[in-house]
Amino acid sequence: METDPPPHRGPAARRDQGGRGGGRDLDGLAQVANKIRDAVESVIEGKPKVVRLALTVLLAEGHVLIEDVPGVGKTMLAKALARSVDCSVRRVQFTPDLLPSDITGVSAYNQELREFEFKPGPVFANIVVGDEINRASPKTQSALLECMEERQVTVDGVTYGLERPFMVIATQNPIEMEGTYPLPEAQRDRFTARISMGYPDASAELEMLETHGQASPLDRLAPVAHAEDVRELIDVVRRQHVAAPVKQYAVDLVAATRTHPDLRLGASPRATLHLVRAARAYAALDDRDYVVPDDVQDLAVPVLAHRLLPTAEAQVERRHPEHVVADLVRRLPVPGPGK
């Protein structure tokens, strides 16, 4: 009888064992995922880790929040990921005067039929790009709560289902910037991961001058996968094996945030679910059909940090949630082989 693989392997062992899970399903996933990754990286230079994390969230059937200062390519990343898949895409520019019905849709009176009919909003798409989401009021931001969690929209008492795949890719500027509203805790908790773009290095910025100098590479980006492909990949990811010690490790890591003295709000049980789902997708992108603690560790900061609220003392001393999560990853015992 075949036994489960050891729960923990280092990066070198992961590469050596990469072919173990390489059945037809995983082989197909790797091929399609690599095409999407290459398409996005043709637009976003020098950010392979950022692109991989965005692809991980897509395959985990989650939502991603891209936060950074203006001009580093947040919207470009969102558009590139959306255009690389041949599916319905809608973009919403969030502004202070945007209404919830501008997102979900509205029931309008049809003069010819003499009855009200529902006019779907931009949320009825496979990929919804929300640009500068924190420039809208919290009331408008909350219009995304139901669709992000339940994949449905309720308008005037009628519930409408959303097609799979469904993903919200939102960008936001840091909350210290003028004219922005902080996202409510419930809204942040629905985003699987938060990505920070960061400034490109000198060589990537120089390459950007060449590729973006005459025309935007987005104009040349053609879809490399279909919505059905993504649905099949999501189903493959759901079948990834997560051993009991790895699940316990994820639970312990999330639970540690709830008692940390630097945090007044820890991560929710939804965060644990998102962490394990993302780890499944992360492992699949490594051509493995099982999750190891390294996957959980690599994803801990982007999946957990944006959900945490620091205490006033921690804010004064600049102990950010990212630092807290990184410290917990270093200190928490990692399950070893056979445990």
Side-chain angles (χ1 to χ4, degrees):
M1 179 181 297
E2 184 181 358
T3 59
D4 290 340
H8 178 67
R9 298 180 187 269
R14 277 194 271 171
R15 288 191 293 270
D16 294 340
Q17 297 291 332
R20 178 194 180 280
R24 291 185 62 182
D25 286 343
L26 274 182
D27 282 342
L29 183 148
Q31 292 174 7
V32 176
N34 286 338
K35 289 180 181 179
I36 298 175
R37 182 201 63 199
D38 293 343
V40 177
E41 288 185 352
S42 70
V43 178
I44 306 296
E45 292 89 0
K47 297 292 180 183
K49 292 182 179 180
V50 169
V51 173
R52 175 173 177 170
L53 183 55
L55 187 55
T56 297
V57 175
L58 174 64
L59 299 185
E61 207 171 9
H63 312 285
V64 65
L65 178 64
I66 308 173
E67 179 184 285
D68 218 318
V69 296
V72 293
K74 300 188 300 295
T75 305
M76 189 74 75
L77 173 62
K79 286 184 176 180
L81 183 60
R83 290 193 184 186
S84 63
V85 180
D86 187 14
C87 61
S88 57
V89 179
R90 298 291 297 274
R91 179 179 181 272
V92 182
Q93 179 65 55
F94 282 75
T95 57
D97 59 347
L98 193 72
L99 299 175
S101 59
D102 295 330
I103 299 173
T104 60
V106 64
S107 294
Y109 187 73
N110 188 313
Q111 293 282 2
E112 295 181 358
L113 300 177
R114 295 189 177 183
E115 62 182 22
F116 283 92
E117 62 179 0
F118 179 63
K119 302 289 186 182
V123 78
F124 286 87
N126 294 120
I127 296 180
V128 179
V129 180
D131 202 15
E132 296 188 294
I133 186 174
N134 61 335
R135 291 204 180 276
S137 67
K139 178 181 179 180
T140 301
Q141 294 173 12
S142 65
L144 292 170
L145 292 178
E146 181 184 13
C147 66
M148 291 176 68
E149 179 66 17
E150 303 172 48
R151 266 61 174 186
Q152 65 182 32
V153 175
T154 302
V155 179
D156 294 336
V158 180
T159 300
Y160 305 89
L162 300 175
E163 292 186 5
R164 294 177 62 221
F166 175 72
M167 181 184 190
V168 174
I169 308 174
T171 71
Q172 75 166 357
N173 294 317
I175 59 173
E176 293 82 5
M177 307 199 81
E178 187 175 353
T180 60
Y181 301 84
L183 293 182
E185 289 80 3
Q187 180 81 69
R188 291 201 307 272
D189 199 38
R190 281 165 169 78
F191 283 103
T192 302
R194 179 181 62 184
I195 296 175
S196 295
M197 297 290 294
Y199 291 110
D201 58 33
S203 60
E205 195 161 5
L206 183 61
E207 180 67 21
M208 182 187 68
L209 295 179
E210 297 292 335
T211 57
H212 295 249
Q214 297 180 348
S216 172
L218 273 175
D219 299 334
R220 302 188 298 269
L221 185 60
V224 295
H226 300 279
E228 181 60 32
D229 296 328
V230 176
R231 283 192 288 268
E232 292 176 358
L233 299 186
I234 289 172
D235 291 337
V236 172
V237 167
R238 286 178 173 178
R239 297 195 296 268
Q240 295 289 92
H241 175 70
V242 185
V246 179
K247 292 179 182 178
Q248 186 62 54
Y249 178 63
V251 169
D252 292 343
L253 182 58
V254 173
T257 67
R258 301 168 189 163
T259 57
H260 199 282
D262 285 344
L263 301 175
R264 58 187 175 92
L265 178 66
S268 68
R270 183 191 288 122
T272 313
L273 288 172
H274 286 182
L275 182 59
V276 173
R277 288 174 185 170
R280 284 191 172 105
Y282 204 75
L285 292 175
D286 259 359
D287 196 23
R288 278 184 285 107
D289 61 357
Y290 57 92
V291 175
V292 296
D294 286 4
D295 301 320
V296 177
Q297 291 178 332
D298 290 347
L299 294 168
V301 171
V303 172
L304 299 180
H306 66 284
R307 310 167 192 266
L308 310 177
L309 291 181
T311 61
E313 294 80 4
Q315 285 181 303
V316 170
E317 297 180 11
R318 296 186 178 276
R319 296 195 298 270
H320 301 296
E322 293 85 350
H323 303 148
V324 172
V325 175
D327 182 61
L328 289 175
V329 167
R330 286 192 298 269
R331 291 194 293 107
L332 199 67
V334 177
K339 294 184 180 180

